[in-house]
Amino acid sequence: MPGMRSLPSSTLINFLGGDEVLNEPRGIDLAPDGSIYVADSKDNQIKHFSTSGTLLDAWGSFGSTTDESAPGGTFYEPWDVAVAPDGSVYVADTWNHRIQKFSADGDFISSWGFFAQGSSPQGYWGPRSITVDAEGNIYFSDTGNKRIVVFDENGNFVAQFGSAGADYGQFNEPVGISLDANNNLYIADTWNRRVQVIKPDLKLNTSTTLLSWDVEGWYGESIENKPFIATNADGKVFVSDPEGSLILEYSPSGELLHVWDLRGVQDDQISMPVDIEFDAEGTMWVSDAASNMIYGYILPVD
């Protein structure tokens, strides 16, 4: 097993946020122009930054569907945000159990979903991670219902994959998801402590499990231990281990290549990495819910 490696301070090229700006940031995504959207969970907002750290925009406030005080544009601890090829912004409004769609400037467009246990296409239980494919289809992990759900850009149901269990194609607390260049879907199957890779067929509403590998991590079942996942341009797979302050790097076939320790970047800084994204230059952007920062790293070359 590869040894643990600290990311030296020289690899940190930029950081965004801070205690005055962010409050437990979770999911992040990059817009076509390279700017960064952040799901700022405890502020119940979406925040938009330039890569130099300038806060460009922020929208949202607290609202709860439980007491019917959650019109479009309000959130209850949003955990992820995804930017479509056309610039539309989708938000996993986790504890309102719905998906919301906005313009790039934060104008509310539509939403769908309500709290339900089971397999109803519109009934969700704590959706966590969200991503968009090249055709504009929206994939998200319906974590509590142990499945992946897909809608089109107009909010129409397309497909769903998975159920509760430990067999291939089944999940136990699926959280982070990521699509690679071949439209293979990588899933952080958290409580099964593994990564699963599936090939979705949206026309047939089926999927094929291509690969699965175990993860040395994700030991706890706390609200914080919700790992995200990303693939880079080389096809390598990166998963966060939030409570371990680690990023695990795998080959496309699931071989563990590196274990990156984020605690070495800044002295005396508590770290809880959540989401991971890569920009066109290969910079690894990581949201840190403990330090209220978004960090940009250039990974060392072996």
Side-chain angles (χ1 to χ4, degrees):
M1 176 178 173
M4 188 178 301
R5 300 173 62 182
S6 294
L7 283 169
S9 58
S10 60
T11 66
L12 178 61
I13 62 166
N14 211 340
F15 54 88
L16 322 174
D19 292 343
E20 301 299 317
V21 182
L22 294 172
N23 188 2
E24 295 192 19
R26 304 289 181 176
I28 58 177
D29 202 13
L30 304 177
D33 65 0
S35 59
I36 301 174
Y37 288 86
V38 180
D40 195 15
S41 67
K42 288 300 176 69
D43 274 348
N44 298 295
Q45 289 189 323
I46 301 303
K47 290 175 178 169
H48 186 196
F49 292 88
S50 71
T51 53
S52 64
T54 301
L55 180 62
L56 303 173
D57 199 4
W59 72 85
S61 59
F62 175 76
S64 173
T65 54
T66 301
D67 56 19
E68 300 181 351
S69 64
T74 62
F75 305 109
Y76 190 172
E77 289 191 23
W79 267 70
D80 202 10
V81 59
V83 185
D86 66 358
S88 300
V89 177
Y90 295 88
V91 178
D93 186 8
T94 299
W95 299 122
N96 281 325
H97 313 285
R98 64 184 178 183
I99 305 300
Q100 296 196 58
K101 179 180 180 179
F102 299 87
S103 73
D105 297 324
D107 296 323
F108 173 75
I109 296 174
S110 63
S111 71
W112 63 90
F114 53 84
F115 173 70
Q117 298 177 352
S119 59
S120 164
Q122 293 274 352
Y124 314 134
W125 185 3
R128 280 306 198 317
S129 182
I130 188 166
T131 193
V132 185
D133 69 16
E135 305 301 319
N137 295 302
I138 303 99
Y139 297 65
F140 60 94
S141 56
D142 183 12
T143 301
N145 284 322
K146 321 300 185 190
R147 61 177 177 164
I148 309 300
V149 186
V150 187
F151 277 73
D152 69 18
E153 61 185 358
N154 297 313
N156 300 308
F157 173 75
V158 174
Q160 60 181 339
F161 312 111
S163 59
D167 292 337
Y168 289 149
Q170 294 183 322
F171 309 111
N172 192 2
E173 200 73 1
V175 180
I177 59 174
S178 179
L179 288 163
D180 69 9
N182 297 314
N183 228 43
N184 299 318
L185 186 67
Y186 293 72
I187 302 159
D189 188 7
T190 309
W191 292 349
N192 282 325
R193 293 180 56 206
R194 65 185 177 184
V195 170
Q196 287 200 68
V197 188
I198 68 173
K199 185 70 173 181
D201 188 324
L202 300 186
K203 292 183 178 179
L204 297 179
N205 193 11
T206 61
S207 67
T208 301
T209 301
L210 304 177
L211 188 63
S212 176
W213 67 81
D214 294 336
V215 172
E216 289 293 329
W218 306 347
Y219 296 105
E221 295 187 2
S222 77
I223 192 68
E224 304 294 350
N225 190 36
K226 297 291 181 279
F228 279 59
I229 190 167
T231 56
N232 70 3
D234 297 328
K236 294 176 180 176
V237 184
F238 296 75
V239 300
S240 61
D241 184 356
E243 292 184 330
S245 300
L246 304 174
I247 301 290
L248 310 179
E249 178 185 351
Y250 296 89
S251 72
S253 61
E255 176 191 0
L256 183 61
L257 302 176
H258 298 297
V259 180
W260 300 106
D261 184 354
L262 271 63
R263 291 168 296 187
V265 177
Q266 291 191 357
D267 292 339
D268 301 322
Q269 180 70 67
I270 299 173
S271 177
M272 186 178 289
V274 182
D275 200 4
I276 310 162
E277 295 290 340
F278 287 87
D279 64 20
E281 286 72 42
T283 302
M284 182 177 74
W285 292 94
V286 179
S287 63
D288 190 325
S291 66
N292 295 320
M293 302 290 288
I294 311 298
Y295 295 115
Y297 301 96
I298 298 294
L299 293 179
V301 178
D302 292 334

